[in-house]
Amino acid sequence: MAAPDLRAELDSLLLQLLGDLEELEGKRAVLNTRVEEGWLSLAKARYAMGAKSVGPLQYASHMEPQVCLHTSEAQEGLQKFKVVRAGVHTPEEVGPGEAALRRRKGPAKTPEPQSSEAPQDPLNWFGILVPHSLRQAQASFRDGLQLAADIASLQNRIDWGRNQIRGLQKKLKQLEPGAA
Amino acid sequence: MRMSPEAAGRTAHARSGVRRTGSRTAEAGLRWLLVLWRDLCLAAGMAGRGKLIAVIGDEDTVTGFLLGGIGELNKNRHPNFLVVEKDTTINEIEDTFRQFLHRDDIGIILINQYIAEMVRHALDAHQHSIPAVLEIPSKEHPYDAAKDSILRRARGMFTAEDLR
């Protein structure tokens, strides 16, 4: 590869790296804000429920993850992360035929297939009626998880870009030892 | 050519030996195939299920992210979180961090930055893209970009010679 082409590629990689760093800084600031909001909400929940009511003592003895990560390889050595939520419940849809009258006597006798694969909501560890602040804390940390996956993808891209730049710089030094 | 009875007997015995050896080889091959098939199914199951997010942090950080739904704890597998308290030793933190690094079902490790400072040498030595390590602030210690391993590496890319 000729030196001018290498320089052009190096410039574009550098620009991409600087753009990624700026994006990373922005997402980090948002993540830090979400986490701080989550702590504040947890403190409010603790104030409402009691000092020892929100902590490791309430953790379940059996936990199934509600959130998983899916990884994909965009380019060679470049991993991308995506957060996937398990057991998302879709609201029951009422068709046009059922809209007129619905029985209110209770659940149907024919057992519907249970979504046993759906993991238990961690809010249930803290009781049946939890304060609104605990739900807010959960929402803040869930947003934080989405941001964490984006930040991890950006970090990988920055590392990958850094390695590509170093490789190109070495090639350039070999082609133009005097200029280097 | 007619074979003597003894020769016929020896031949039959030799043939049955070959059959026994052959059947043992086939059995071993079949067992290997079954093990390979089981491992492939397990890997496919894990790939279908996705990777986990691990967290090493103080009580509030871990509780918050567990509320978000990342926790895994059952009888067979180790938990994917560690609550660091006042009496948690640096060795415990480092051991847990290294365990998370070596697990192939963890994609991201979230760690409070003040805890990451205690095991900075282990973080700096980790060069792989998976699992990704993310430093997050804690209540008493706000996030400092100057201490982040990833940003320090990016900042240290350029020397005076490179910019000449």
Side-chain angles (χ1 to χ4, degrees):
Chain A
M1 214 174 176
D5 294 334
L6 277 176
R7 285 189 186 279
E9 198 179 332
L10 193 60
D11 288 342
S12 74
L13 278 172
L14 270 169
L15 284 171
Q16 190 184 331
L17 180 73
L18 291 171
D20 289 342
L21 282 169
E22 193 178 352
E23 198 182 338
L24 177 70
E25 196 182 354
K27 289 214 178 220
R28 267 222 172 269
V30 180
L31 172 67
N32 293 346
T33 307
R34 287 285 174 274
V35 170
E36 284 162 15
E37 284 169 7
W39 289 330
L40 187 59
S41 300
L42 277 178
K44 287 179 186 171
R46 208 171 270 132
Y47 180 75
M49 297 168 70
K52 295 285 180 188
S53 300
V54 181
L57 292 173
Q58 282 72 39
Y59 294 174
S61 55
H62 180 92
M63 296 180 198
E64 283 283 333
Q66 281 193 322
V67 165
C68 288
L69 268 179
H70 280 244
T71 56
S72 57
E73 198 160 324
Q75 290 175 44
E76 194 185 318
L78 183 57
Q79 297 282 347
K80 213 174 166 188
F81 297 101
K82 191 183 162 191
V83 168
V84 171
R85 188 161 294 283
V88 175
H89 296 287
T90 52
E92 188 190 342
E93 286 183 10
V94 178
E98 302 167 23
L101 197 65
R102 295 182 72 198
R103 287 190 148 217
R104 291 175 187 261
K105 280 193 176 174
K109 283 184 184 169
T110 52
E112 289 173 4
Q114 289 282 335
S115 58
S116 56
E117 294 83 18
Q120 195 196 28
D121 189 351
L123 272 179
N124 297 339
W125 304 344
F126 302 95
I128 297 170
L129 288 174
V130 295
H132 184 61
S133 47
L134 200 61
R135 292 183 192 276
Q136 281 177 329
Q138 186 181 50
S140 297
F141 280 103
R142 275 181 177 169
D143 288 344
L145 287 170
Q146 292 283 353
L147 286 162
D150 294 341
I151 289 171
S153 303
L154 273 170
Q155 280 182 177
N156 277 349
R157 209 158 79 186
I158 287 168
D159 265 342
W160 177 86
R162 194 174 67 99
N163 292 335
Q164 294 289 308
I165 286 170
R166 284 218 180 277
L168 282 176
Q169 282 173 336
K170 273 183 194 164
K171 278 186 198 170
L172 206 57
K173 274 183 186 167
Q174 284 166 5
L175 282 175
E176 294 178 348
Chain B
M1 187 176 134
R2 282 184 65 187
M3 224 183 277
S4 65
E6 294 86 11
R10 279 198 297 274
T11 311
H13 182 73
R15 276 201 201 127
S16 72
V18 166
R19 241 181 267 127
R20 278 200 302 274
T21 311
S23 67
R24 259 188 247 127
T25 311
E27 218 176 279
L30 189 62
R31 211 174 286 137
W32 177 82
L33 273 172
L34 283 171
V35 167
L36 180 65
W37 177 249
R38 184 199 68 192
D39 287 346
L40 282 172
C41 286
L42 274 173
M46 277 173 61
R49 202 183 66 153
K51 291 190 185 284
L52 300 171
I53 301 175
V55 57
I56 300 175
D58 55 25
E59 186 180 308
D60 274 2
T61 305
V62 174
T63 302
F65 281 111
L66 290 184
L67 258 181
I70 65 169
E72 188 190 64
L73 178 62
N74 56 31
K75 290 175 194 171
N76 302 324
R77 301 180 53 190
H78 297 293
N80 64 334
F81 57 90
L82 173 69
V83 180
V84 174
E85 287 161 345
K86 288 176 201 169
D87 50 358
T88 309
T89 61
I90 294 179
N91 282 338
E92 281 179 61
I93 298 169
E94 196 174 332
D95 286 344
T96 306
F97 181 71
R98 288 191 196 281
Q99 277 172 26
F100 288 167
L101 284 180
H102 286 113
R103 278 175 65 167
D104 53 2
D105 60 343
I106 289 179
I108 295 178
I109 300 174
L110 301 168
I111 182 167
N112 283 134
Q113 195 170 48
Y114 82 96
I115 299 172
E117 280 294 301
M118 297 178 198
V119 293
R120 182 60 66 193
H121 54 283
L123 253 88
D124 287 342
H126 174 63
Q127 300 282 338
H128 299 291
S129 56
I130 286 184
V133 180
L134 231 72
E135 296 178 31
I136 52 180
S138 63
K139 284 195 298 191
E140 286 90 28
H141 304 88
Y143 177 73
D144 184 359
K147 294 181 184 172
D148 193 310
S149 289
I150 303 291
L151 293 180
R152 276 198 318 196
R153 266 183 240 160
R155 210 176 333 120
M157 270 182 60
F158 302 103
T159 61
E161 279 184 17
D162 294 331
L163 294 171
R164 210 175 290 156

